Amino acid sequence: YLQINEPKVDTLIAAFKFLDVGFHSLDPNVSNRRLFESVYQESLYRINIENIILMLRFIHGITEEEKQLRCCNYSFVCRFPEAPLHHYIDGCMNEYLDVWLSSYDGTIIDDENCSIKLLNHQSVSFDGKKNYIGRLNTIITHLYDIHDTKLWNLLLSKNLVSCREENIIAYWSLEKKIDTVTIDYINGFHSEIDFSECLKTHPEALMSELFTGLLKCDDIANSQYENCIVSLGFTYGESFNVTGLSIEKVQILAKNQVIQMTPATLRFLR
């Protein structure tokens, strides 16, 4: 249809629209250039990975290898936010995600900003976002950047969140408990956890609640347990009656004077 020497482009495009034509495949090497570009401008082609890669290469001059175009596809699309390709995909995100993920079974390594944009896209279904996260290998720096808090648990569980104290606080603010997701996240830190700067920017009541939640958790690695408790800087109170803590955890609390060795505390520990 596009291999025409002197096409009446406007007439053909109008006819294609009337007939609801969507080309499954295109070959720019044999197509009339003006007609091909008009088909692109009017989005008269099907959303499939071959057509998307074709438009990225032929229209936008992308030269990266096909493997790169498949594993970072949305990042390449987002390079051209005002382009017809971007607008077309933005209007059918669920179809785009289905096509992309079904045609590529590898790991996705989109740019962080593009991943955030996709995960915050109002048109993308929750299942679509879950499927995307299931293949993602891009680290999200701040949990708060992801608007749908139902995705936080999944991102943390998949080790896709940067190790930052702010993210511990964000997740605590949401769940109000130290669950296995929080424990695994804390134990996965590669640096010492230090909440001292966070104390300056978060309400004292919130940080005190976090302190109590962390203090009562025996499954946090001892080193990070001590880092958390000491950097938060609170004390437990006059009477210590927390059950389920190992002797090592109690020793950490006593050594750092987090608990007071009152007669009531000593009787409890015995």
Side-chain angles (χ1 to χ4, degrees):
Y1 290 102
L2 305 187
Q3 191 176 356
I4 304 172
N5 290 330
E6 296 182 4
K8 295 180 179 179
V9 174
D10 293 342
T11 302
L12 285 170
I13 293 298
F16 292 156
K17 286 183 175 181
F18 178 78
L19 296 171
D20 194 25
V21 169
F23 292 100
H24 287 278
S25 63
L26 296 163
D27 186 349
N29 296 315
V30 299
S31 300
N32 177 274
R33 179 63 185 251
R34 283 183 56 236
L35 186 54
F36 179 88
E37 291 180 350
S38 293
V39 166
Y40 166 71
Q41 291 289 333
E42 299 296 335
S43 303
L44 296 173
Y45 56 93
R46 298 296 185 193
I47 289 289
N48 58 53
I49 198 67
E50 291 76 20
N51 281 340
I52 293 169
I53 290 175
L54 172 65
M55 299 310 176
L56 288 169
R57 288 195 187 285
F58 190 77
I59 299 293
H60 297 291
I62 296 297
T63 58
E64 279 81 352
E65 294 182 0
E66 182 165 331
K67 181 179 179 181
Q68 189 75 1
L69 292 175
R70 287 179 179 270
C71 72
C72 312
N73 194 260
Y74 192 58
S75 295
F76 284 105
V77 171
C78 288
R79 285 191 187 183
F80 312 98
E82 301 303 320
L85 175 63
H86 185 279
H87 291 306
Y88 187 17
I89 287 174
D90 196 60
C92 52
M93 284 295 294
N94 286 310
E95 179 185 356
Y96 164 70
L97 260 183
D98 287 343
V99 164
W100 179 18
L101 298 182
S102 63
S103 65
Y104 171 68
D105 59 3
T107 300
I108 294 170
I109 49 175
D110 274 327
D111 296 336
E112 181 186 2
N113 288 338
C114 297
S115 289
I116 291 171
K117 179 178 178 179
L118 190 150
L119 292 173
N120 287 337
H121 202 293
Q122 293 183 349
S123 297
V124 179
S125 69
F126 185 73
D127 285 342
K129 293 175 182 180
K130 285 203 306 182
N131 291 336
Y132 178 77
I133 290 172
R135 304 272 290 280
L136 191 62
N137 194 31
T138 299
I139 300 298
I140 304 299
T141 304
H142 302 289
L143 265 180
Y144 279 131
D145 286 337
I146 306 302
H147 300 159
D148 188 349
T149 56
K150 295 191 293 295
L151 296 173
W152 289 9
N153 183 296
L154 185 57
L155 287 165
L156 287 166
S157 299
K158 297 285 291 182
N159 298 317
L160 295 175
V161 180
S162 177
C163 292
R164 292 173 177 264
E165 291 80 1
E166 289 283 351
N167 292 326
I168 298 174
I169 297 169
Y171 193 65
W172 167 265
S173 300
L174 176 69
E175 297 291 343
K176 295 296 185 181
K177 63 181 179 181
I178 305 299
D179 57 11
T180 56
V181 172
T182 310
I183 293 166
D184 290 343
Y185 180 59
I186 289 174
N187 289 341
F189 267 61
H190 302 299
S191 58
E192 294 184 1
I193 295 174
D194 185 352
F195 287 106
S196 56
E197 288 300 313
C198 300
L199 290 167
K200 302 174 184 177
T201 56
H202 291 81
E204 182 177 346
L206 173 66
M207 301 303 284
S208 178
E209 290 174 355
L210 174 61
F211 164 80
T212 302
L214 291 167
L215 181 145
K216 294 179 177 179
C217 182
D218 194 56
D219 293 323
I220 298 172
N222 288 338
S223 59
Q224 291 294 28
Y225 181 86
E226 184 168 9
N227 293 333
C228 290
I229 296 302
V230 172
S231 65
L232 281 165
F234 296 97
T235 57
Y236 188 76
E238 292 186 4
S239 180
F240 180 76
N241 57 0
V242 176
T243 59
L245 286 181
S246 65
I247 186 64
E248 291 83 6
K249 294 289 194 304
V250 176
Q251 288 173 342
I252 289 170
L253 297 175
K255 179 182 71 172
N256 291 285
Q257 299 181 340
V258 175
I259 57 175
Q260 300 177 36
M261 289 304 175
T262 62
T265 297
L266 290 171
R267 283 195 299 271
F268 175 78
L269 292 177
R270 292 196 190 101

